[in-house]
Amino acid sequence: MPKFEPVCRDMMQAKFGQEFDLILCVFAYHHVPDSNKAELCRRLRQWSKPGASLIVLEICLHADLIAQYYEEVKTHLNHGQYAGICRKFLDWTMQQPVDGSDNSEWKVPKARLLSDFEAAKWRLRNEQSVWTPQGLPTDTGCFYFQFTTDGRR
Ligand SMILES: C[S@@+](CC[C@H](N)C(=O)[O-])C[C@H]1O[C@@H](n2cnc3c(N)ncnc32)[C@H](O)[C@@H]1O
């Protein structure tokens, strides 16, 4: 059984005394201001072993489609005991605070995400759309990406 030790650190400050085979970056990249996104990608690269995998799950959106995206998500939340609270959460998410608080979000289009990770020498191995709302462009929505390193720094 692999050893698993949870740690809680600021990903823009953290230093690790080891490198990792697998890194998951799940709905985290959009919490970093656009000007720091490339630095996050470089940091993830520094923490990885040669040949490591990086799994990124992310919501990719042009700024002008954020409201439309979340309105579509809300239309799929019409039943179930948690629908009400989920809708409230989505209304709050749609407000997109960009004040640097812990809740701040900076969602970007898919092309920007791919360019940031590729610039940090992450190679795209697999990409899948998880969900794109009807009526929105196909490069919009929730995506799964698998990147790998080619062993070089
Ligand atoms: C949308 S949540 C995703 C949480 C989790 N990965 C999941 O999928 O359920 C974004 C998370 O990123 C965390 N976060 C934002 N900025 C961070 C930073 N600089 N360092 C570490 N975590 C951060 C937030 O605290 C929040 O828990």
Side-chain angles (χ1 to χ4, degrees), residues 8-14 24-33 40 47 57-59 89 92 101-106:
C8 182
R9 310 229 178 108
D10 179 347
M11 59 190 168
M12 298 309 292
Q13 304 286 332
L24 309 180
C25 182
V26 178
F27 303 128
Y29 165 87
H30 73 247
H31 282 273
V32 175
L40 171 63
W47 299 334
L57 266 173
E58 196 47 80
I59 299 167
F89 173 75
W92 171 79
S101 67
D102 284 351
N103 301 329
S104 293
E105 298 193 7
W106 293 269

Side-chain angles (χ1 to χ4, degrees), residues 23-27 29 44 54-58 113 117 143-147:
I23 299 179
L24 309 180
C25 182
V26 178
F27 303 128
Y29 165 87
L44 294 169
L54 167 68
I55 304 296
V56 179
L57 266 173
E58 196 47 80
L113 180 152
F117 281 93
F143 288 89
Y144 162 95
F145 304 97
Q146 183 195 355
F147 296 92

Side-chain angles (χ1 to χ4, degrees), residues 138-150:
T138 52
D139 66 344
T140 297
C142 186
F143 288 89
Y144 162 95
F145 304 97
Q146 183 195 355
F147 296 92
T148 189
T149 71
D150 58 9

